[in-house]
């Protein structure tokens, strides 16, 4: 039970200390030509991992751990595409709930 409390404390601290808005410097740095190609190149590895995870998840019995495995693999893809970043909190909640349910029910 103590690890759940520590996870909640760490997540709360990350939420409080993470900047809510990017500065103008970082926005102007991202606006170069490499900014358009970099997420596409970085997306190759998470897509490969997601494909492997999906094959593994569907080949074994469905459990909360397989749901957590899929949500953990989807997290880098959500972080790489700026328009999808608003889906990060629900994805993190899905990961947390599925891991907790997997531990409690097994």
């Amino acid at each position: 039970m103590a690890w759940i409390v520590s996870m909640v404390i760490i997540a709360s601290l990350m939420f409080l200390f993470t900047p809510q808005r990017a500065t103008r410097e970082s926005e102007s740095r991202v606006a170069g030509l490499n900014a358009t190609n970099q997420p596409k190149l970085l997306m190759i590895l998470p897509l490969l991992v997601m494909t492997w995870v999906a094959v593994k998840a569907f080949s074994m019995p469905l459990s909360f751990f397989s749901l957590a495995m899929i949500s953990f693999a989807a997290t880098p893809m959500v972080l790489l595409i700026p328009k999808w970043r608003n889906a990060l909190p629900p994805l993190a909640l899905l990961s947390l709930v599925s891991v907790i349910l997997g531990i409690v029910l097994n």
Side-chain angles (χ1 to χ4, degrees):
M1 188 68 167
W3 63 272
I4 294 175
V5 174
S6 63
M7 285 177 54
V8 169
I9 290 171
I10 291 171
S12 300
L13 288 173
M14 288 176 58
F15 181 73
L16 288 175
F17 293 116
T18 304
Q20 298 297 322
R21 187 170 257 225
T23 61
R24 290 181 191 238
E25 268 179 32
S26 64
E27 288 175 4
S28 65
R29 242 186 293 150
V30 174
L33 288 175
N34 292 335
T36 59
N37 295 331
Q38 189 176 12
K40 292 177 187 174
L41 292 174
L42 292 175
M43 194 68 126
I44 293 171
L45 183 61
L47 282 175
L48 289 173
V49 170
M50 187 65 160
T51 304
W52 175 73
V53 163
V55 168
K56 283 295 201 183
F58 290 122
S59 67
M60 61 185 190
L62 188 64
S63 69
F64 288 109
F65 290 123
S66 59
L67 182 62
M69 188 169 59
I70 291 173
S71 61
F72 285 147
T75 301
M77 290 189 286
V78 169
L79 290 174
L80 284 173
I81 299 175
K83 289 183 181 180
W84 292 2
R85 287 187 186 154
N86 57 356
L88 189 61
L91 190 62
L93 182 65
L94 176 68
S95 300
L96 178 70
V97 169
S98 60
V99 167
I100 290 173
L101 285 175
I103 290 172
V104 169
L105 296 178
N106 283 339

